[in-house]
Amino acid sequence: MPKLWLKKANHRRGPRQERLARKKEKEEAEAAERAAKRQKTTDQQADGGGADNQWAGADIEEQQNVWYGMLDEKEQEYFKHADDMLELNKFEDAEERDLFVENVYKEVDGKELKVAHSQSCSRFMERLISLSNPAQLKKLFGKFSGHFLDMVQHRFASHCCETLFIKCAPTVTQELTAPIEDEQEAIMNGDVYVSMENLFLYALNELEGNLGFLLTQTFASHTLRVLVLVLSGQSLDKSETKSILASKKKEKIEVSGQDDVTDGLNLEQRAVPDSFKKALDKLITGSVHGLDTTYLRALATHPTGSPVLQAFLNIELTDKSKKRGKDQNSVFQKLIPDDPPAEETDSGKFINGLLYDQSGSRLIETILRHAPGKIFKSIYRTLIKDRMGSLARNETAGYVVMRALERLSREELEEALLSIKPELEKLFKLARNNVIITLIDCCVKRDLDTTRIAEELTKALGSQSTPQNKVEAAPLTTDIHPDRMHHFQKPEKAEESQQSLRLSKEQLRASHLGALLMRKMLEVPGPLSEIVYDGLLSKDAESLLILAQNVIASRVLQDALSLPTSSQAFRRQTIPKLYGSIAKLALDRVGSHVVDALWMGTHDTQFMRQNIARELAQNEASLRDSYLGRAVWRNWAMDLYKRDERGWKIQSKENLRTLMGVEAATNGVTGARERFAAEQAMKEKKAKKDKKAKKEMKDEGTMEVDEEVEPPVVERKTERKERRAKKEKNGKGELMELDKEVETSIVEEKVEKEKKSKKRKERNTDEVEGMEEKGTKKVKKEKKEKKEKKYKKKKSEDE
């Protein structure tokens, strides 16, 4: 048997090694063919003019990458194990993790390019970059330099370049503000010191001749956007820049214990050297050089070229000097040369075409968001103002309307509201709620009345709509339809009907936007919030329980219980419907947040808070066994409730004061100091006025009486001494008054504290006395019973 097993094992190993050898031979042959093609293209470029013909690479279907070799099986296993260690981040402290990273760098030495181009190990390289210090980043940057043109176009290595650029961005600002230890160490060792600034410039020089081709390359365009934003010094954390950098589909390489791999994203606007600004101008002009208006407008609708143009426009329009936007060779002037861009002009037709395009509409959004006021008004008044209603109906053009609404003045917003008002009913039925949300938000910011929006929403919910229909017709109820109620009541059967209950992406998006609309309506006092409150009041206990356990709809219920617009009458009617199911909600992943919101919802109804606490206390064992239950138990301070119910009530009332904005009683010392400072300021003002008046009187006296003799020196000295003595007395009197006020405030506080302590002692003594009385009565009873027993025994013995 063992011999047969060995034969089978050898038989299995043979074909696998042959397959690997064949694969390597094929890859080497393909690499040789690529090198030959590359040599031909370089010869053609040399004959055709070199760097000026930067679009020569566009004739090739895909820029071929250089072959850097493959990792063997042992190396792949080691790097996968190291990747798992870095992802879990289960190190005792930071020092141990740094030592592990150093050892990993020793193993990676000489194989950096192989790892970056590997499908299985490129994620490991990204995590390694995220946990590296500036010295390690510089070494890795140096290893990559000279190969950036190939790496940027590679499917996996391009992601490594992106994380490297973002991670190295803070180091540039550190080198500008404070010296780094690496420079001193390099000088001491006799090595050549290279700053991070120069490393970025070297990388840009590698890409300089091929920028026009890289704009539309599938993988290189993402890296180019990152490089543009890093060189500009703009924040990489904003929502608009995040959408430019990468799509939502991009895989996030995370490390447990850290918020994100790219710590540079947390930076705001960074300080950047002057060489970066010059290099950025060179990059923008080099990538657009030789392109006329027609080619640029074709890039505006390109899926990979449009985001790069958005990054360029973002930099040009936000420039403080405003020189880039006005330059005739700038991207904005080439795209929209007409001023103003009327409908009859080519610029107007170009903008109208972009409004309904998925890629082009984002370009218009960046222009409307960052353009100066003059440019924004010309575009809005000539092309968008008269078509606000029809544009809001469209799925893609609606986002352009949202960006326009954010920058309108109060008068223009009122006109836009009148034009969008007839379309609100259709928008609500089509679940285009994002436009309605931004409209409500802008109206609240500009202090406009929202009753007209509420009227249209009630029409959309039905002319004969009852409060129940209002919520049933809402888009968020796609997840809480009565047919889906058993999904929360009987989870065992939910698996069987999971496919039938699974929602499509459009329905989930509609329900999510519907919930956001409801939450925005709850924030606005008046008829908008009343629509949602009336709908929730019409719900029975079962449907409210389902709402509380739904991932999307529970947020609406939490806001309805905790927001300032929530009335006491609403909470008194809705909260009792959840009695009996508080423990069930506390053990639910979503419902536990609703139970936490009930603490805020019962701030003015102490008896309801006590009822909920009593129900939680009855289910203590089940709550303590669950992680979610323990969190609810802690948030409701149930340990204090079990130990001292009276103290728990007092603490809840103190929390009520802080929630309602009632500050605690101010300290008497601070109040006296503030009063004294105010009085002193008033006295100083009066003294200045008196001095001015005295000077005027003296001047008038000298003008009228010229022969008046000055008093002797001794009399002047005595007058000065008397003035000083008066000032000192006045100051001492003021200080005495301050001390008296402080003393009185302190005495009052002491008296109040003593009163409170006496009351507590009296309560404690009463309780102790009551306990003692009870104890003495029990002892007396026991003695009597013993005596009676003895007497009975004696009688029985005598008989």
Side-chain angles (χ1 to χ4, degrees):
M1 289 297 291
K3 291 180 180 179
L4 291 171
W5 182 80
L6 285 170
K7 286 181 180 179
K8 287 181 181 178
N10 293 329
H11 181 68
R12 284 175 187 169
R13 286 178 186 172
R16 186 180 179 185
Q17 290 177 354
E18 289 177 2
R19 272 186 259 118
L20 289 171
R22 288 172 192 168
K23 189 176 180 181
K24 284 183 180 179
E25 288 176 0
K26 285 182 181 179
E27 288 172 350
E28 287 174 359
E30 288 175 359
E33 289 178 3
R34 291 170 191 167
K37 287 181 181 179
R38 186 181 290 276
Q39 188 65 32
K40 287 181 182 179
T41 53
T42 50
D43 294 339
Q44 289 174 3
Q45 286 180 3
D47 296 335
D52 294 333
N53 191 10
Q54 61 174 333
W55 285 85
D59 296 333
I60 307 170
E61 292 181 358
E62 186 177 354
Q63 187 75 13
Q64 302 296 337
N65 295 318
V66 179
W67 173 250
Y68 294 103
M70 287 180 65
L71 296 168
D72 57 14
E73 291 183 3
K74 291 183 180 179
E75 290 172 345
Q76 286 183 2
E77 288 178 2
Y78 173 78
F79 292 138
K80 283 179 182 178
H81 177 67
D83 187 21
D84 295 336
M85 291 283 289
L86 294 174
E87 185 179 5
L88 296 172
N89 198 13
K90 290 184 178 179
F91 300 100
E92 291 183 359
D93 51 4
E95 291 181 1
E96 185 180 353
R97 188 181 65 186
D98 294 339
L99 287 171
F100 180 77
V101 171
E102 285 181 7
N103 293 327
V104 170
Y105 264 107
K106 289 177 183 177
E107 292 292 331
V108 176
D109 190 19
K111 306 166 189 172
E112 294 87 354
L113 296 171
K114 287 183 182 180
V115 174
H117 287 78
S118 174
Q119 181 179 0
S120 58
C121 299
S122 61
R123 296 180 184 86
F124 157 70
M125 181 58 75
E126 290 186 59
R127 285 197 183 90
L128 187 64
I129 290 167
S130 66
L131 297 171
S132 302
N133 56 31
Q136 292 167 347
L137 290 172
K138 282 185 180 180
K139 288 180 182 177
L140 189 64
F141 213 123
K143 298 278 185 175
F144 286 173
S145 61
H147 306 279
F148 276 114
L149 183 60
D150 299 314
M151 292 181 70
V152 156
Q153 301 173 59
H154 195 268
R155 182 176 182 179
F156 307 115
S158 60
H159 294 285
C160 298
C161 294
E162 289 178 34
T163 52
L164 182 65
F165 291 156
I166 293 170
K167 185 70 180 176
C168 292
T171 311
V172 178
T173 56
Q174 289 176 7
E175 289 179 351
L176 286 174
T177 54
I180 298 177
E181 297 178 357
D182 297 342
E183 183 177 1
Q184 298 175 358
E185 291 179 1
I187 293 167
M188 292 291 290
N189 296 328
D191 299 332
V192 178
Y193 173 75
V194 182
S195 63
M196 193 66 77
E197 176 187 351
N198 291 328
L199 289 171
F200 270 107
L201 294 175
Y202 295 155
L204 189 61
N205 287 331
E206 289 184 41
L207 308 176
E208 189 176 349
N210 301 281
L211 291 172
F213 167 68
L214 297 177
L215 279 174
T216 55
Q217 213 274 340
T218 308
F219 308 116
S221 63
H222 295 83
T223 314
L224 193 62
R225 297 172 218 167
V226 173
L227 189 59
V228 167
L229 291 173
V230 168
L231 292 174
S232 64
Q234 290 189 358
S235 173
L236 304 173
D237 195 22
K238 294 180 181 178
S239 58
E240 57 264 23
T241 53
K242 280 183 179 178
S243 63
I244 292 170
L245 286 176
S247 63
K248 294 180 181 179
K249 296 178 182 179
K250 184 183 177 182
E251 182 185 358
K252 291 184 179 180
I253 308 299
E254 297 178 351
V255 177
S256 62
Q258 285 189 349
D259 295 334
D260 199 348
V261 216
T262 54
D263 295 335
L265 290 175
N266 298 324
L267 289 171
E268 294 182 357
Q269 195 165 3
R270 294 166 283 102
V272 166
D274 295 333
S275 59
F276 274 23
K277 296 176 182 178
K278 294 177 182 177
L280 183 63
D281 292 334
K282 193 176 180 182
L283 188 149
I284 295 172
T285 53
S287 57
V288 184
H289 178 68
L291 297 177
D292 57 357
T293 304
T294 55
Y295 281 107
L296 267 181
R297 287 178 177 175
L299 282 174
T301 56
H302 197 275
T304 56
S306 179
V308 184
L309 288 182
Q310 291 173 39
F312 291 165
L313 287 172
N314 187 9
I315 292 160
E316 287 184 357
L317 296 173
T318 55
D319 187 19
K320 293 180 180 179
S321 61
K322 298 181 181 180
K323 292 180 180 179
R324 288 175 177 167
K326 293 179 180 179
D327 189 8
Q328 293 182 355
N329 294 322
S330 64
V331 177
F332 180 76
Q333 290 295 332
K334 284 186 175 182
L335 284 172
I336 307 171
D338 300 316
D339 189 19
E343 291 186 4
E344 300 173 354
T345 60
D346 293 335
S347 299
K349 293 176 183 177
F350 168 65
I351 293 171
N352 285 328
L354 293 181
L355 291 173
Y356 301 99
D357 187 76
Q358 289 185 353
S359 301
S361 62
R362 292 181 182 273
L363 190 71
I364 300 298
E365 285 182 53
T366 55
I367 292 170
L368 293 178
R369 184 185 282 121
H370 300 294
K374 186 179 178 181
I375 297 169
F376 169 77
K377 287 177 182 178
S378 64
I379 294 171
Y380 173 73
R381 289 173 182 172
T382 54
L383 300 172
I384 300 172
K385 183 178 180 180
D386 298 332
R387 298 188 298 158
M388 287 288 281
S390 61
L391 291 173
R393 265 199 327 269
N394 189 270
E395 189 175 0
T396 55
Y399 291 97
V400 179
V401 173
M402 290 161 60
R403 299 291 86 78
L405 288 171
E406 290 172 356
R407 292 196 62 179
L408 293 178
S409 61
R410 194 175 188 277
E411 292 77 13
E412 289 177 336
L413 183 62
E414 194 167 2
E415 294 176 1
L417 178 60
L418 292 172
S419 61
I420 296 172
K421 182 184 173 183
E423 307 295 335
L424 285 174
E425 187 176 351
K426 293 179 182 177
L427 289 173
F428 190 75
K429 288 179 179 178
L430 293 170
R432 307 278 163 75
N433 297 317
N434 45 11
V435 179
I436 305 172
I437 292 166
T438 52
L439 184 62
I440 293 169
D441 195 15
C442 294
C443 288
V444 171
K445 287 179 181 177
R446 301 288 189 271
D447 198 14
L448 282 176
D449 190 13
T450 57
T451 52
R452 289 173 284 186
I453 301 173
E455 291 172 359
E456 294 297 324
L457 291 177
T458 50
K459 287 180 186 178
L461 294 168
S463 58
Q464 298 178 351
S465 63
T466 60
Q468 187 174 0
N469 287 332
K470 287 180 182 179
V471 174
E472 288 296 335
L476 83 95
T477 56
T478 52
D479 277 355
I480 55 172
H481 196 269
D483 296 336
R484 303 178 189 276
M485 287 185 179
H486 67 278
H487 178 68
F488 300 103
Q489 294 173 354
K490 298 178 182 179
E492 294 125 359
K493 292 184 179 180
E495 295 177 0
E496 299 174 1
S497 58
Q498 190 175 6
Q499 293 180 355
S500 61
L501 295 176
R502 192 173 293 167
L503 296 170
S504 64
K505 289 183 179 180
E506 294 180 358
Q507 288 175 329
L508 282 171
R509 186 172 175 274
S511 61
H512 181 67
L513 288 172
L516 289 175
L517 176 60
M518 298 295 166
R519 294 177 70 184
K520 181 58 71 176
M521 290 166 69
L522 286 171
E523 292 176 4
V524 183
L528 278 174
S529 57
E530 288 174 3
I531 295 171
V532 186
Y533 285 127
D534 292 341
L536 290 171
L537 282 172
S538 65
K539 293 287 182 183
D540 57 353
E542 290 183 3
S543 56
L544 268 180
L545 184 62
I546 293 168
L547 276 170
Q549 291 177 318
N550 184 270
V551 178
I552 299 171
S554 64
R555 298 294 184 94
V556 180
L557 188 58
Q558 291 173 38
D559 290 347
L561 293 170
S562 58
L563 283 174
T565 55
S566 177
S567 62
Q568 189 179 12
F570 166 76
R571 283 182 269 110
R572 285 197 174 196
Q573 292 178 14
T574 53
I575 292 172
K577 294 178 183 178
L578 298 173
Y579 287 167
S581 57
I582 298 294
K584 182 181 178 182
L585 289 174
L587 297 172
D588 188 67
R589 181 174 60 88
V590 180
S592 58
H593 297 287
V594 178
V595 179
D596 292 337
L598 286 172
W599 176 266
M600 294 276 289
T602 56
H603 65 270
D604 54 352
T605 53
Q606 288 295 318
F607 68 96
M608 298 174 77
R609 184 175 283 185
Q610 291 171 19
N611 292 335
I612 295 169
R614 198 176 296 114
E615 188 174 346
L616 290 172
Q618 290 172 1
N619 297 276
E620 181 180 0
S622 60
L623 291 173
R624 287 189 181 277
D625 290 338
S626 172
Y627 173 76
L628 297 167
R630 287 194 296 272
V632 173
W633 187 272
R634 185 174 58 254
N635 294 334
W636 273 77
M638 290 303 296
D639 289 327
L640 180 61
Y641 177 82
K642 295 281 287 184
R643 187 174 64 253
D644 183 13
E645 188 174 353
R646 187 179 293 170
W648 181 82
K649 291 177 184 177
I650 293 165
Q651 186 178 357
S652 65
K653 288 178 182 178
E654 289 177 356
N655 291 335
L656 167 63
R657 289 173 187 169
T658 55
L659 288 171
M660 297 300 291
V662 179
E663 296 180 356
T666 55
N667 192 3
V669 178
T670 56
R673 285 174 182 169
E674 290 174 358
R675 275 183 253 118
F676 175 70
E679 289 174 1
Q680 198 172 11
M682 292 293 290
K683 286 178 182 179
E684 287 179 357
K685 287 182 181 178
K686 287 181 181 179
K688 287 180 181 178
K689 288 181 181 179
D690 293 338
K691 283 181 181 179
K692 287 181 180 179
K694 285 178 182 179
K695 284 182 180 179
E696 291 176 357
M697 292 293 290
K698 283 180 182 179
D699 294 335
E700 290 176 359
T702 51
M703 290 293 290
E704 291 175 357
V705 184
D706 295 331
E707 297 178 357
E708 192 171 355
V709 182
E710 290 183 359
V713 179
V714 179
E715 292 179 1
R716 279 187 243 159
K717 288 181 179 179
T718 53
E719 286 177 0
R720 287 174 187 170
K721 286 179 181 180
E722 288 174 358
R723 288 174 189 169
R724 286 175 187 170
K726 286 180 181 178
K727 286 182 181 179
E728 288 175 359
K729 286 180 181 179
N730 292 329
K732 287 179 181 178
E734 290 171 353
L735 291 170
M736 289 294 288
E737 290 177 359
L738 175 62
D739 293 333
K740 286 178 182 178
E741 290 175 353
V742 171
E743 286 175 1
T744 53
S745 61
I746 292 166
V747 169
E748 288 174 357
E749 287 179 356
K750 285 182 179 179
V751 170
E752 288 178 356
K753 287 180 180 179
E754 287 175 358
K755 287 180 181 179
K756 290 179 180 178
S757 62
K758 283 180 181 178
K759 287 180 181 179
R760 289 174 185 170
K761 286 178 182 178
E762 288 174 358
R763 289 174 187 169
N764 293 329
T765 52
D766 293 338
E767 291 176 356
V768 171
E769 287 175 359
M771 293 295 289
E772 288 177 355
E773 288 177 0
K774 290 178 181 178
T776 52
K777 287 180 181 178
K778 286 182 180 179
V779 171
K780 287 177 180 179
K781 284 181 180 179
E782 289 174 358
K783 286 181 179 180
K784 285 181 180 179
E785 288 174 357
K786 286 180 180 179
K787 285 179 180 180
E788 288 176 357
K789 285 179 180 180
K790 287 179 180 180
Y791 183 73
K792 287 178 180 179
K793 283 181 181 180
K794 285 180 181 180
K795 274 187 178 183
S796 61
E797 288 173 358
D798 293 336
E799 288 174 357

